Coordinates of all heavy atoms in Angstrom, one line a residue:
M185 N 114.6 -102.2 10.7 CA 115.2 -100.9 10.5 C 114.5 -100.2 9.3 O 114.2 -100.8 8.3 CB 116.7 -101.1 10.2 CG 117.4 -99.8 10.0 SD 119.2 -100.1 10.1 CE 119.7 -98.4 10.0
P186 N 114.1 -99.0 9.5 CA 113.3 -98.3 8.4 C 114.2 -98.1 7.2 O 115.4 -97.9 7.3 CB 112.9 -97.0 9.1 CG 113.9 -96.8 10.2 CD 114.3 -98.1 10.6
Q187 N 113.5 -98.2 6.0 CA 114.2 -98.0 4.8 C 113.8 -96.5 4.4 O 112.7 -96.1 4.4 CB 113.7 -98.9 3.7 CG 114.1 -100.4 4.0 CD 113.7 -101.3 2.8 OE1 113.1 -100.9 1.9 NE2 114.1 -102.5 2.9
I188 N 114.9 -95.8 3.9 CA 114.7 -94.4 3.5 C 115.3 -94.3 2.1 O 116.4 -94.8 1.9 CB 115.5 -93.5 4.5 CG1 114.9 -93.7 5.9 CG2 115.3 -92.1 4.0 CD1 115.8 -93.0 7.0
I189 N 114.5 -93.8 1.2 CA 114.9 -93.6 -0.2 C 114.7 -92.2 -0.7 O 113.8 -91.5 -0.2 CB 114.2 -94.6 -1.1 CG1 112.7 -94.4 -1.2 CG2 114.6 -96.1 -0.8 CD1 112.0 -95.1 -2.2
P190 N 115.5 -91.7 -1.6 CA 115.2 -90.4 -2.2 C 114.0 -90.5 -3.2 O 113.8 -91.5 -3.7 CB 116.5 -90.0 -2.9 CG 117.2 -91.3 -3.2 CD 116.7 -92.3 -2.1
I191 N 113.4 -89.4 -3.4 CA 112.2 -89.4 -4.2 C 112.4 -89.8 -5.6 O 111.6 -90.4 -6.3 CB 111.5 -88.0 -4.2 CG1 110.0 -88.1 -4.6 CG2 112.3 -86.9 -4.9 CD1 109.2 -86.9 -4.3
R192 N 113.6 -89.6 -6.1 CA 114.0 -90.0 -7.5 C 113.9 -91.5 -7.7 O 113.7 -92.0 -8.8 CB 115.3 -89.4 -7.9 CG 116.5 -90.1 -7.2 CD 117.9 -89.6 -7.7 NE 118.9 -90.1 -6.9 CZ 119.4 -89.6 -5.8 NH1 118.9 -88.5 -5.4 NH2 120.4 -90.2 -5.1
D193 N 114.1 -92.3 -6.6 CA 114.0 -93.7 -6.7 C 112.6 -94.2 -7.0 O 112.4 -95.4 -7.3 CB 114.5 -94.4 -5.5 CG 116.0 -94.3 -5.4 OD1 116.7 -93.7 -6.3 OD2 116.6 -94.8 -4.4
L194 N 111.6 -93.4 -6.8 CA 110.2 -93.8 -7.1 C 109.9 -94.1 -8.5 O 108.9 -94.6 -8.9 CB 109.2 -92.7 -6.6 CG 109.1 -92.6 -5.1 CD1 108.1 -91.4 -4.7 CD2 108.7 -93.9 -4.4
R195 N 110.8 -93.7 -9.4 CA 110.7 -94.0 -10.8 C 110.6 -95.5 -11.1 O 110.0 -96.0 -12.0 CB 111.8 -93.4 -11.6 CG 111.8 -91.9 -11.7 CD 112.9 -91.3 -12.5 NE 112.9 -89.9 -12.4 CZ 113.9 -89.1 -12.3 NH1 115.1 -89.7 -12.4 NH2 113.8 -87.8 -12.3
D196 N 111.3 -96.3 -10.3 CA 111.4 -97.7 -10.4 C 110.3 -98.4 -9.6 O 110.5 -98.9 -8.5 CB 112.8 -98.3 -10.1 CG 112.9 -99.7 -10.4 OD1 112.0 -100.4 -10.9 OD2 114.1 -100.2 -10.3
T197 N 109.0 -98.3 -10.1 CA 107.9 -98.7 -9.3 C 107.9 -100.2 -8.9 O 107.5 -100.6 -7.8 CB 106.6 -98.4 -10.0 OG1 106.6 -99.0 -11.3 CG2 106.4 -96.9 -10.2
T198 N 108.5 -101.0 -9.8 CA 108.5 -102.5 -9.5 C 109.4 -102.7 -8.3 O 109.1 -103.5 -7.4 CB 109.0 -103.2 -10.8 OG1 108.1 -103.0 -11.9 CG2 109.1 -104.7 -10.5
K199 N 110.6 -102.1 -8.3 CA 111.5 -102.2 -7.2 C 110.9 -101.7 -5.9 O 111.0 -102.4 -4.9 CB 112.8 -101.4 -7.5 CG 113.8 -101.5 -6.4 CD 115.1 -100.7 -6.7 CE 116.0 -100.6 -5.5 NZ 117.1 -99.7 -5.7
I200 N 110.2 -100.6 -5.9 CA 109.6 -100.1 -4.7 C 108.5 -101.1 -4.2 O 108.4 -101.3 -3.0 CB 109.0 -98.7 -5.0 CG1 110.0 -97.7 -5.4 CG2 108.2 -98.2 -3.8 CD1 111.1 -97.5 -4.4
S201 N 107.7 -101.6 -5.1 CA 106.7 -102.5 -4.8 C 107.3 -103.8 -4.1 O 106.8 -104.3 -3.1 CB 105.9 -103.0 -6.0 OG 104.9 -104.0 -5.7
E202 N 108.3 -104.3 -4.7 CA 109.0 -105.4 -4.1 C 109.6 -105.1 -2.7 O 109.5 -106.0 -1.8 CB 110.1 -105.9 -5.0 CG 109.6 -106.6 -6.3 CD 110.7 -106.8 -7.4 OE1 111.9 -106.4 -7.1 OE2 110.4 -107.4 -8.4
M203 N 110.1 -104.0 -2.6 CA 110.7 -103.6 -1.3 C 109.6 -103.5 -0.2 O 109.7 -104.0 0.9 CB 111.4 -102.2 -1.4 CG 112.7 -102.2 -2.1 SD 113.4 -100.6 -2.4 CE 113.5 -99.9 -0.8
C204 N 108.4 -102.9 -0.6 CA 107.3 -102.8 0.3 C 106.8 -104.1 0.8 O 106.5 -104.4 1.9 CB 106.2 -102.0 -0.3 SG 106.5 -100.2 -0.5
N205 N 106.6 -105.0 -0.2 CA 106.0 -106.3 0.1 C 107.0 -107.3 0.8 O 106.6 -108.1 1.5 CB 105.4 -106.9 -1.2 CG 104.2 -106.2 -1.6 OD1 103.2 -106.3 -0.9 ND2 104.2 -105.6 -2.8
A206 N 108.3 -107.1 0.5 CA 109.3 -108.0 1.1 C 109.4 -107.7 2.6 O 109.6 -108.6 3.4 CB 110.6 -107.8 0.5
T207 N 109.3 -106.4 3.0 CA 109.5 -106.1 4.4 C 108.2 -105.9 5.2 O 108.2 -106.0 6.4 CB 110.3 -104.8 4.6 OG1 109.6 -103.7 4.0 CG2 111.7 -104.9 3.9
N208 N 107.1 -105.7 4.5 CA 105.9 -105.4 5.1 C 106.0 -104.2 6.1 O 105.3 -104.1 7.1 CB 105.3 -106.6 5.8 CG 103.8 -106.6 5.9 OD1 103.1 -106.0 5.1 ND2 103.2 -107.2 6.9
E209 N 106.9 -103.3 5.8 CA 107.1 -102.1 6.6 C 107.1 -100.9 5.7 O 107.3 -101.0 4.5 CB 108.5 -102.1 7.3 CG 108.6 -103.2 8.4 CD 107.8 -102.8 9.6 OE1 107.7 -101.6 9.9 OE2 107.3 -103.7 10.3
P210 N 106.8 -99.7 6.2 CA 106.7 -98.5 5.4 C 108.1 -98.1 4.9 O 109.1 -98.4 5.6 CB 106.1 -97.4 6.3 CG 106.3 -98.0 7.7 CD 106.4 -99.4 7.6
I211 N 108.2 -97.5 3.8 CA 109.4 -96.9 3.2 C 109.3 -95.4 3.3 O 108.3 -94.9 2.8 CB 109.6 -97.4 1.8 CG1 109.8 -98.9 1.7 CG2 110.8 -96.7 1.2 CD1 109.9 -99.5 0.3
F212 N 110.2 -94.8 3.9 CA 110.2 -93.3 4.0 C 110.9 -92.7 2.8 O 112.0 -93.1 2.4 CB 110.9 -92.9 5.3 CG 110.2 -93.5 6.5 CD1 110.5 -94.7 7.0 CD2 109.1 -92.8 7.1 CE1 109.9 -95.2 8.1 CE2 108.4 -93.3 8.2 CZ 108.8 -94.5 8.7
V213 N 110.2 -91.7 2.2 CA 110.7 -91.1 1.0 C 111.1 -89.7 1.3 O 110.4 -88.9 1.9 CB 109.7 -91.1 -0.2 CG1 110.2 -90.4 -1.4 CG2 109.2 -92.5 -0.4
T214 N 112.4 -89.3 0.9 CA 112.9 -88.0 1.2 C 112.9 -87.1 -0.1 O 113.0 -87.6 -1.2 CB 114.3 -88.0 1.8 OG1 115.2 -88.6 0.9 CG2 114.3 -88.8 3.1
K215 N 112.8 -85.8 0.1 CA 112.9 -84.8 -0.9 C 113.8 -83.7 -0.4 O 113.5 -83.1 0.6 CB 111.5 -84.3 -1.3 CG 111.5 -83.3 -2.4 CD 110.0 -82.9 -2.7 CE 110.0 -81.9 -3.8 NZ 108.6 -81.4 -4.1
N216 N 114.9 -83.5 -1.2 CA 115.9 -82.5 -0.8 C 116.4 -82.8 0.6 O 116.6 -81.9 1.4 CB 115.3 -81.1 -0.9 CG 114.9 -80.8 -2.3 OD1 115.6 -81.2 -3.2 ND2 113.9 -80.0 -2.4
G217 N 116.5 -84.1 1.0 CA 117.1 -84.4 2.3 C 116.1 -84.4 3.5 O 116.5 -84.7 4.6
Y218 N 114.8 -84.1 3.2 CA 113.8 -84.0 4.3 C 112.7 -85.1 4.0 O 112.4 -85.3 2.9 CB 113.2 -82.6 4.4 CG 114.2 -81.6 4.8 CD1 114.9 -80.8 3.8 CD2 114.5 -81.4 6.1 CE1 115.8 -79.8 4.2 CE2 115.5 -80.4 6.5 CZ 116.1 -79.6 5.5 OH 117.0 -78.7 5.9
G219 N 112.1 -85.6 5.1 CA 111.0 -86.5 4.9 C 109.9 -85.8 4.1 O 109.5 -84.7 4.4
D220 N 109.3 -86.6 3.2 CA 108.3 -86.1 2.3 C 107.0 -86.9 2.3 O 105.9 -86.4 2.4 CB 108.8 -85.9 0.9 CG 107.8 -85.2 0.0 OD1 107.3 -84.1 0.4 OD2 107.5 -85.7 -1.1
M221 N 107.2 -88.3 2.3 CA 106.1 -89.1 2.3 C 106.5 -90.5 2.7 O 107.6 -90.8 2.8 CB 105.4 -89.2 0.9 CG 106.2 -89.7 -0.3 SD 105.3 -89.6 -1.8 CE 106.3 -88.5 -2.7
V222 N 105.5 -91.4 2.8 CA 105.7 -92.8 3.2 C 104.9 -93.7 2.2 O 103.8 -93.4 1.8 CB 105.1 -93.0 4.6 CG1 105.3 -94.5 5.0 CG2 105.8 -92.1 5.6
V223 N 105.6 -94.8 1.8 CA 105.0 -95.7 0.9 C 105.0 -97.1 1.6 O 106.0 -97.4 2.3 CB 105.8 -95.8 -0.4 CG1 105.2 -96.8 -1.4 CG2 106.0 -94.5 -1.1
M224 N 103.8 -97.8 1.5 CA 103.8 -99.1 2.1 C 102.9 -100.0 1.3 O 102.0 -99.6 0.5 CB 103.3 -99.0 3.6 CG 101.9 -98.5 3.8 SD 101.3 -98.5 5.5 CE 102.3 -97.3 6.2
S225 N 103.0 -101.3 1.6 CA 102.2 -102.3 0.9 C 100.7 -102.2 1.4 O 100.5 -101.7 2.5 CB 102.7 -103.7 1.1 OG 102.5 -104.1 2.5
M226 N 99.8 -102.8 0.7 CA 98.4 -102.8 1.1 C 98.3 -103.6 2.4 O 97.5 -103.3 3.3 CB 97.5 -103.4 0.1 CG 97.3 -102.5 -1.1 SD 96.5 -100.9 -0.7 CE 94.9 -101.5 -0.2
A227 N 99.0 -104.7 2.5 CA 99.0 -105.6 3.7 C 99.4 -104.8 4.9 O 98.8 -104.9 6.0 CB 99.8 -106.8 3.5
A228 N 100.5 -104.0 4.8 CA 101.0 -103.2 5.9 C 100.0 -102.2 6.3 O 99.8 -101.9 7.5 CB 102.4 -102.6 5.6
Y229 N 99.5 -101.5 5.3 CA 98.5 -100.5 5.5 C 97.3 -101.0 6.3 O 96.8 -100.4 7.3 CB 98.0 -99.8 4.2 CG 97.0 -98.8 4.4 CD1 97.3 -97.5 4.8 CD2 95.6 -99.1 4.1 CE1 96.3 -96.6 5.0 CE2 94.6 -98.2 4.2 CZ 95.0 -96.9 4.7 OH 94.0 -96.0 4.8
E230 N 96.7 -102.1 5.8 CA 95.6 -102.7 6.5 C 95.9 -103.2 7.9 O 95.1 -103.0 8.8 CB 95.1 -103.9 5.7 CG 94.4 -103.5 4.4 CD 94.1 -104.7 3.4 OE1 94.5 -105.8 3.8 OE2 93.5 -104.4 2.4
Q231 N 97.1 -103.7 8.1 CA 97.5 -104.1 9.5 C 97.6 -102.8 10.4 O 97.1 -102.9 11.5 CB 98.9 -104.7 9.4 CG 99.4 -105.3 10.7 CD 100.8 -105.9 10.5 OE1 101.4 -105.7 9.5 NE2 101.1 -106.7 11.5
K232 N 98.1 -101.7 9.9 CA 98.2 -100.5 10.7 C 96.8 -100.0 11.0 O 96.5 -99.5 12.1 CB 99.0 -99.4 10.0 CG 100.4 -99.8 9.7 CD 101.3 -99.8 10.9 CE 102.7 -100.1 10.5 NZ 103.5 -100.7 11.6
M233 N 95.9 -100.0 10.0 CA 94.5 -99.5 10.2 C 93.8 -100.4 11.2 O 93.0 -99.8 12.0 CB 93.8 -99.5 8.9 CG 94.3 -98.4 7.9 SD 94.1 -96.7 8.6 CE 95.8 -96.4 9.0
L234 N 94.0 -101.7 11.2 CA 93.3 -102.6 12.2 C 93.8 -102.3 13.6 O 93.0 -102.2 14.5 CB 93.6 -104.0 11.8 CG 92.7 -104.6 10.6 CD1 93.2 -106.0 10.3 CD2 91.3 -104.6 11.0
A235 N 95.1 -102.1 13.7 CA 95.7 -101.7 15.0 C 95.1 -100.4 15.5 O 94.8 -100.2 16.7 CB 97.2 -101.7 14.9
L236 N 95.1 -99.4 14.6 CA 94.6 -98.1 15.0 C 93.1 -98.2 15.4 O 92.7 -97.6 16.4 CB 94.7 -97.1 13.8 CG 94.2 -95.7 14.0 CD1 95.0 -95.0 15.1 CD2 94.3 -94.9 12.7
D237 N 92.3 -99.0 14.7 CA 90.9 -99.2 15.1 C 90.8 -99.8 16.4 O 90.0 -99.4 17.3 CB 90.2 -100.0 14.0 CG 88.7 -100.2 14.3 OD1 88.0 -99.1 14.5 OD2 88.2 -101.3 14.3
M238 N 91.6 -100.8 16.7 CA 91.6 -101.5 18.0 C 92.0 -100.5 19.1 O 91.3 -100.4 20.1 CB 92.6 -102.6 18.0 CG 92.6 -103.4 19.4 SD 93.9 -104.7 19.4 CE 95.4 -103.7 19.3
Y239 N 93.0 -99.7 18.9 CA 93.4 -98.7 19.9 C 92.3 -97.7 20.1 O 92.0 -97.3 21.3 CB 94.7 -98.0 19.5 CG 95.9 -98.9 19.4 CD1 96.8 -98.8 18.4 CD2 96.1 -99.8 20.4 CE1 97.9 -99.6 18.3 CE2 97.2 -100.7 20.3 CZ 98.1 -100.5 19.3 OH 99.2 -101.4 19.2
N240 N 91.7 -97.2 19.1 CA 90.6 -96.3 19.2 C 89.4 -96.9 20.0 O 88.8 -96.2 20.9 CB 90.1 -95.8 17.8 CG 91.0 -94.8 17.2 OD1 91.8 -94.2 17.9 ND2 90.9 -94.8 15.9
K241 N 89.1 -98.1 19.8 CA 88.0 -98.8 20.5 C 88.4 -98.9 22.0 O 87.6 -98.8 22.9 CB 87.7 -100.1 19.9 CG 86.9 -100.0 18.6 CD 86.6 -101.3 18.0 CE 85.8 -101.0 16.7 NZ 85.6 -102.3 16.0
I242 N 89.7 -99.2 22.3 CA 90.1 -99.3 23.7 C 90.0 -98.0 24.4 O 89.5 -97.9 25.5 CB 91.6 -99.9 23.7 CG1 91.6 -101.3 23.3 CG2 92.2 -99.6 25.1 CD1 93.0 -101.9 23.1
M243 N 90.4 -96.9 23.7 CA 90.3 -95.6 24.3 C 88.9 -95.2 24.5 O 88.5 -94.5 25.4 CB 91.1 -94.6 23.4 CG 92.6 -94.8 23.4 SD 93.3 -95.0 25.0 CE 93.0 -93.3 25.7
E244 N 88.0 -95.6 23.5 CA 86.5 -95.3 23.7 C 86.0 -96.0 24.9 O 85.2 -95.4 25.7 CB 85.8 -95.7 22.4 CG 84.3 -95.4 22.5 CD 83.6 -95.9 21.2 OE1 84.2 -95.9 20.1 OE2 82.5 -96.4 21.3
G245 N 86.4 -97.3 25.1 CA 86.0 -98.0 26.3 C 86.5 -97.4 27.6 O 85.8 -97.3 28.6
K246 N 87.7 -96.9 27.5 CA 88.3 -96.3 28.7 C 87.6 -95.0 29.1 O 87.3 -94.7 30.2 CB 89.8 -96.0 28.5 CG 90.4 -95.4 29.7 CD 91.9 -95.0 29.5 CE 92.6 -94.4 30.7 NZ 91.8 -93.4 31.4
A247 N 87.2 -94.2 28.0 CA 86.5 -93.0 28.2 C 85.1 -93.3 28.8 O 84.6 -92.6 29.7 CB 86.3 -92.2 26.9
Q248 N 84.4 -94.3 28.4 CA 83.1 -94.7 28.9 C 83.3 -95.1 30.4 O 82.5 -94.8 31.2 CB 82.5 -95.9 28.1 CG 82.0 -95.5 26.8 CD 81.5 -96.6 25.9 OE1 81.8 -97.8 26.2 NE2 80.8 -96.3 24.9
A249 N 84.4 -95.9 30.7 CA 84.6 -96.3 32.1 C 84.9 -95.1 32.9 O 84.4 -95.0 34.1 CB 85.8 -97.3 32.1
D250 N 85.6 -94.1 32.4 CA 85.9 -92.9 33.2 C 84.7 -92.1 33.5 O 84.6 -91.4 34.5 CB 86.9 -92.0 32.4 CG 88.3 -92.6 32.4 OD1 88.6 -93.6 33.2 OD2 89.2 -92.2 31.6
R251 N 83.7 -92.2 32.6 CA 82.4 -91.5 32.8 C 81.5 -92.3 33.7 O 80.4 -91.8 34.0 CB 81.7 -91.2 31.4 CG 82.5 -90.2 30.6 CD 81.6 -89.8 29.4 NE 81.2 -90.9 28.5 CZ 81.8 -91.3 27.4 NH1 83.0 -90.7 27.1 NH2 81.4 -92.3 26.7
G252 N 81.9 -93.5 34.1 CA 81.0 -94.3 34.9 C 80.0 -95.1 34.2 O 79.1 -95.6 34.8
E253 N 80.2 -95.2 32.9 CA 79.2 -96.0 32.1 C 79.6 -97.5 32.0 O 79.9 -98.0 31.0 CB 79.2 -95.4 30.7 CG 78.7 -94.0 30.6 CD 78.8 -93.3 29.3 OE1 79.2 -94.0 28.3 OE2 78.6 -92.1 29.1
L254 N 79.6 -98.1 33.2 CA 80.0 -99.5 33.3 C 78.8 -100.4 33.4 O 77.7 -100.0 33.9 CB 80.9 -99.7 34.5 CG 82.2 -98.8 34.6 CD1 82.9 -99.0 35.9 CD2 83.1 -99.2 33.4
H255 N 78.9 -101.6 32.9 CA 77.9 -102.6 33.0 C 78.4 -103.9 33.7 O 79.5 -104.3 33.5 CB 77.4 -103.0 31.6 CG 76.9 -101.8 30.8 ND1 75.7 -101.3 31.0 CD2 77.5 -101.0 29.8 CE1 75.5 -100.2 30.2 NE2 76.6 -100.1 29.5
D256 N 77.5 -104.5 34.4 CA 77.9 -105.7 35.1 C 78.0 -106.8 34.1 O 77.1 -107.0 33.3 CB 76.8 -106.0 36.2 CG 77.2 -107.3 37.0 OD1 78.1 -107.2 37.7 OD2 76.5 -108.3 36.7
F257 N 79.1 -107.6 34.1 CA 79.3 -108.6 33.2 C 78.2 -109.7 33.3 O 77.7 -110.2 32.2 CB 80.7 -109.2 33.3 CG 81.0 -110.3 32.3 CD1 81.2 -110.0 31.0 CD2 81.0 -111.7 32.7 CE1 81.4 -111.1 30.1 CE2 81.2 -112.7 31.8 CZ 81.4 -112.4 30.5
D258 N 77.9 -110.1 34.5 CA 76.9 -111.2 34.6 C 75.5 -110.8 34.0 O 74.9 -111.6 33.4 CB 76.7 -111.6 36.1 CG 78.0 -112.3 36.6 OD1 78.7 -112.9 35.8 OD2 78.3 -112.2 37.8
D259 N 75.1 -109.5 34.2 CA 73.9 -109.0 33.6 C 74.0 -109.0 32.1 O 73.0 -109.4 31.4 CB 73.6 -107.6 34.1 CG 73.2 -107.6 35.6 OD1 72.8 -108.7 36.2 OD2 73.3 -106.5 36.2
F260 N 75.1 -108.6 31.6 CA 75.3 -108.5 30.2 C 75.3 -109.9 29.6 O 74.6 -110.1 28.5 CB 76.7 -107.9 29.9 CG 77.1 -107.9 28.4 CD1 76.5 -107.1 27.5 CD2 78.1 -108.8 28.0 CE1 76.8 -107.1 26.2 CE2 78.5 -108.8 26.7 CZ 77.8 -108.0 25.8
L261 N 75.9 -110.9 30.2 CA 75.9 -112.2 29.7 C 74.5 -112.8 29.7 O 74.1 -113.5 28.8 CB 76.9 -113.1 30.5 CG 77.2 -114.5 30.0 CD1 77.7 -114.5 28.6 CD2 78.1 -115.2 31.0
A262 N 73.8 -112.6 30.8 CA 72.4 -113.1 30.9 C 71.5 -112.5 29.7 O 70.7 -113.2 29.1 CB 71.8 -112.7 32.2
K263 N 71.7 -111.2 29.4 CA 71.0 -110.6 28.3 C 71.3 -111.3 27.0 O 70.4 -111.5 26.1 CB 71.2 -109.1 28.2 CG 70.5 -108.3 29.3 CD 70.9 -106.8 29.2 CE 70.3 -106.1 30.4 NZ 70.7 -104.7 30.4
L264 N 72.6 -111.5 26.8 CA 73.0 -112.2 25.5 C 72.4 -113.6 25.4 O 72.0 -114.0 24.4 CB 74.5 -112.3 25.5 CG 75.3 -111.0 25.0 CD1 76.8 -111.3 25.0 CD2 74.9 -110.5 23.7
E265 N 72.5 -114.4 26.5 CA 72.0 -115.7 26.5 C 70.5 -115.7 26.2 O 70.0 -116.5 25.5 CB 72.3 -116.4 27.8 CG 73.7 -116.8 28.0 CD 74.0 -117.4 29.3 OE1 73.2 -117.3 30.3 OE2 75.1 -118.0 29.5
K266 N 69.8 -114.8 26.8 CA 68.3 -114.7 26.6 C 68.0 -114.3 25.2 O 67.1 -114.9 24.6 CB 67.7 -113.6 27.6 CG 66.2 -113.5 27.5 CD 65.7 -112.5 28.5 CE 64.2 -112.3 28.4 NZ 63.7 -111.3 29.3
K267 N 68.8 -113.4 24.6 CA 68.6 -113.0 23.2 C 68.9 -114.1 22.2 O 68.1 -114.2 21.2 CB 69.4 -111.7 22.9 CG 69.2 -111.2 21.6 CD 70.1 -109.9 21.4 CE 69.9 -109.3 20.0 NZ 70.6 -108.1 19.8
Y268 N 69.9 -114.8 22.4 CA 70.4 -115.8 21.4 C 70.1 -117.2 21.7 O 70.4 -118.1 20.8 CB 71.9 -115.6 21.2 CG 72.2 -114.3 20.5 CD1 72.8 -113.2 21.3 CD2 71.9 -114.0 19.2 CE1 73.1 -112.0 20.7 CE2 72.2 -112.8 18.6 CZ 72.7 -111.8 19.4 OH 73.0 -110.6 18.8
T269 N 69.5 -117.6 22.8 CA 69.1 -119.0 23.0 C 67.6 -119.0 23.3 O 67.0 -118.2 24.0 CB 69.8 -119.6 24.3 OG1 69.5 -118.8 25.4 CG2 71.3 -119.6 24.0
K270 N 67.0 -119.9 22.6 CA 65.5 -120.0 22.7 C 65.1 -121.4 22.8 O 65.6 -122.3 22.3 CB 64.8 -119.3 21.5 CG 65.0 -117.8 21.6 CD 64.2 -117.1 20.5 CE 64.6 -115.7 20.6 NZ 63.7 -114.8 20.0

């Protein structure tokens, strides 16, 4: 369940850091009752960025397939074996 805190709670940085690292989830910060920003641990941020990179690569591959830029796996494997085995 997402944690939501008012912006004034950001004064207690140690508590916020502990909250971020304990849950490994983002904390949503509100200002005047409206969403204003998100705070998260470095581990959670890196995990989100890795997932985003993976999704982008999948979508890039799908776009290449949609354009007909496909390669035969057996030919690809043979090229790799030729390149790396001597």
Side-chain angles (χ1 to χ4, degrees):
M185 182 164 186
Q187 294 185 355
I188 303 170
I189 62 170
I191 199 164
R192 69 177 173 272
D193 287 359
L194 289 179
R195 291 180 184 143
D196 190 354
T197 56
T198 301
K199 178 182 172 189
I200 300 300
S201 175
E202 289 170 356
M203 288 171 57
C204 287
N205 288 296
T207 64
N208 208 29
E209 291 290 326
I211 297 174
F212 299 91
V213 181
T214 60
K215 181 177 180 182
N216 298 324
Y218 295 97
D220 187 50
M221 64 180 115
V222 176
V223 181
M224 64 176 64
S225 69
M226 287 298 293
Y229 176 79
E230 289 171 355
Q231 184 179 17
K232 300 289 184 200
M233 291 298 103
L234 285 172
L236 180 61
D237 184 51
M238 180 185 65
Y239 295 139
N240 285 336
K241 287 179 179 176
I242 290 170
M243 293 309 295
E244 182 181 327
K246 183 183 179 319
Q248 288 175 343
D250 290 346
R251 291 190 303 265
E253 300 172 3
L254 302 175
H255 302 281
D256 183 70
F257 179 74
D258 292 330
D259 292 342
F260 173 73
L261 188 59
K263 286 179 187 177
L264 282 179
E265 287 176 346
K266 183 178 180 181
K267 181 177 180 179
Y268 293 107
T269 57
K270 293 186 181 198

